[in-house]
Amino acid sequence: MTTVGEIHAVNPRMTCRRVNVYYGDKHAIKNVSIDIGRNEVLAMIGPSGCGKSTFLRCLNRMNDTIEGCRVTGTITLDGQDIYDPDLDVVLLRAQVGMVFQKPNPFPKSIYDNIAYGPKIHGLAQTRAELDEIVETSLRKAGLWDEVKDRLDHPGTGLSGGQQQRLCIARAIAVSPEVILMDEPCSALDPIATARIEELIHELREQYTIVIVTHSMQQAARVSQRTAFFHLGDLIEVGPTDRIFTRPRHPLTEDYITGRFG
Ligand SMILES: Nc1ncnc2c1ncn2[C@@H]1O[C@H](COP(=O)(O)OP(=O)(O)O)[C@@H](O)[C@H]1O
Ligand SMILES: [Mg+2]
């Protein structure tokens, strides 16, 4: 199936070419090619089961952890093949961080949630450097003022929205290039959701963000480009305002006008 629209980004950070994903016999992603641009928020939308999470997981090789899952095609990050057998997957997952649907802080203190990654990646030589990374990451995630006086409290004691910002701070702490978010607001109330959306705006200056969302309003609010998936095909991709005002493919139009989904 040929994708309608502009799969190319002006300044690509990641490129995906002819990507296929199989779970055993099930063909879950079908020959998808798309670029992910620098400092852009790319939204991935489409009906439940169309392959959004599966495709997102290709971008940092999280599918490697799923038994029976096979990925073919080529995906690069800054020109490097991320499926190169010599590549350090732990490092890749720091460069391409991930935030999940349900906030999943470690059962550790707020401080240790952030410090854990930098420690294992050797990003800090001294306690002062580690403190610095923890503070900077929490500031970038818009959480510092709320937690600075209780860094030793458990991360799991925070509200849902705060936990999700803690998870974003944890991803930021290991200096990622790209941050993947899989329906990051689906467990949050509207106020916490608005807070995360604001944060996504701010983070775009420094990071490339790919967000899966079941909310078309959210895609319209936070992204510059939108990709519409249907039954494992990438049907259409293009500038978000164009996708929502003048979709070119009838399936995209049916989806955004609420005829199915
Ligand atoms: N671990 C798995 N094993 C087998 N099939 C899976 C697995 N994960 C997802 N699938 C199937 O792959 C398709 C795409 O799923 P998914 O990527 O979760 O879709 P979405 O995130 O768009 O809802 C679905 O048909 C789903 O049932
Ligand atoms: Mg999903």
Side-chain angles (χ1 to χ4, degrees):
M1 161 134 218
T2 313
T3 300
V4 171
E6 305 89 25
I7 67 155
H8 296 281
V10 182
N11 197 354
R13 170 130 259 181
M14 300 191 79
T15 65
C16 310
R17 292 295 177 269
R18 296 173 306 282
V19 174
N20 288 277
V21 183
Y22 305 86
Y23 296 107
D25 295 337
K26 182 176 169 69
H27 195 178
I29 289 291
K30 300 169 185 164
N31 225 33
V32 168
S33 295
I34 188 172
D35 290 347
I36 300 159
R38 216 162 280 266
N39 306 105
E40 86 173 349
V41 179
L42 171 69
M44 303 204 305
I45 63 168
S48 180
C50 68
K52 303 178 296 295
S53 297
T54 298
F55 187 71
L56 196 70
R57 286 195 298 265
C58 293
L59 301 175
N60 69 350
R61 290 183 55 175
M62 285 292 281
N63 286 324
D64 288 16
T65 63
I66 298 176
E67 203 176 312
C69 185
R70 193 161 64 84
V71 179
T72 67
T74 310
I75 302 181
T76 66
L77 170 64
D78 293 329
Q80 193 192 11
D81 176 8
I82 67 165
Y83 283 84
D84 183 331
D86 293 333
L87 182 114
D88 178 350
V89 180
V90 175
L91 186 60
L92 172 71
R93 296 198 186 122
Q95 292 171 317
V96 185
M98 194 151 189
V99 175
F100 298 88
Q101 211 161 325
K102 217 171 145 275
N104 60 347
F106 302 135
K108 291 171 181 285
S109 68
I110 293 169
Y111 185 98
D112 286 337
N113 261 276
I114 311 299
Y116 180 78
K119 269 191 213 161
I120 60 167
H121 289 285
L123 298 180
Q125 306 320 315
T126 63
R127 174 70 190 211
E129 281 175 22
L130 198 56
D131 288 351
E132 167 89 35
I133 294 174
V134 169
E135 179 172 341
T136 309
S137 306
L138 287 168
R139 280 191 190 282
K140 284 187 188 169
L143 191 59
W144 175 251
D145 288 336
E146 289 159 64
V147 302
K148 63 176 186 244
D149 299 324
R150 46 173 171 152
L151 293 175
D152 56 335
H153 292 205
T156 48
L158 297 170
S159 74
Q162 289 173 326
Q163 287 188 30
Q164 199 59 306
R165 279 180 278 139
L166 183 68
C167 293
I168 293 172
R170 183 174 68 188
I172 288 173
V174 290
S175 302
E177 327 274 342
V178 180
I179 303 175
L180 311 176
M181 300 186 178
D182 194 348
E183 305 199 20
C185 302
S186 62
L188 306 182
D189 64 42
I191 292 173
T193 296
R195 195 80 186 72
I196 300 278
E197 290 183 3
E198 263 170 52
L199 184 58
I200 291 172
H201 272 293
E202 291 163 20
L203 294 176
R204 179 166 75 92
E205 287 179 17
Q206 242 184 310
Y207 308 100
T208 295
I209 297 171
V210 186
I211 180 172
V212 168
T213 175
H214 61 258
S215 159
M216 288 183 268
Q217 290 79 6
Q218 179 166 74
R221 284 192 299 263
V222 304
S223 71
Q224 287 73 51
R225 263 165 96 232
T226 295
F228 170 63
F229 288 79
H230 182 255
L231 295 175
D233 286 305
L234 174 58
I235 303 292
E236 179 164 357
V237 56
T240 296
D241 51 358
R242 210 246 323 128
I243 293 283
F244 287 109
T245 52
R246 281 164 283 125
R248 290 179 188 158
H249 195 288
L251 279 172
T252 317
E253 172 150 29
D254 286 352
Y255 184 68
I256 65 165
T257 55
R259 253 165 281 186
F260 69 89

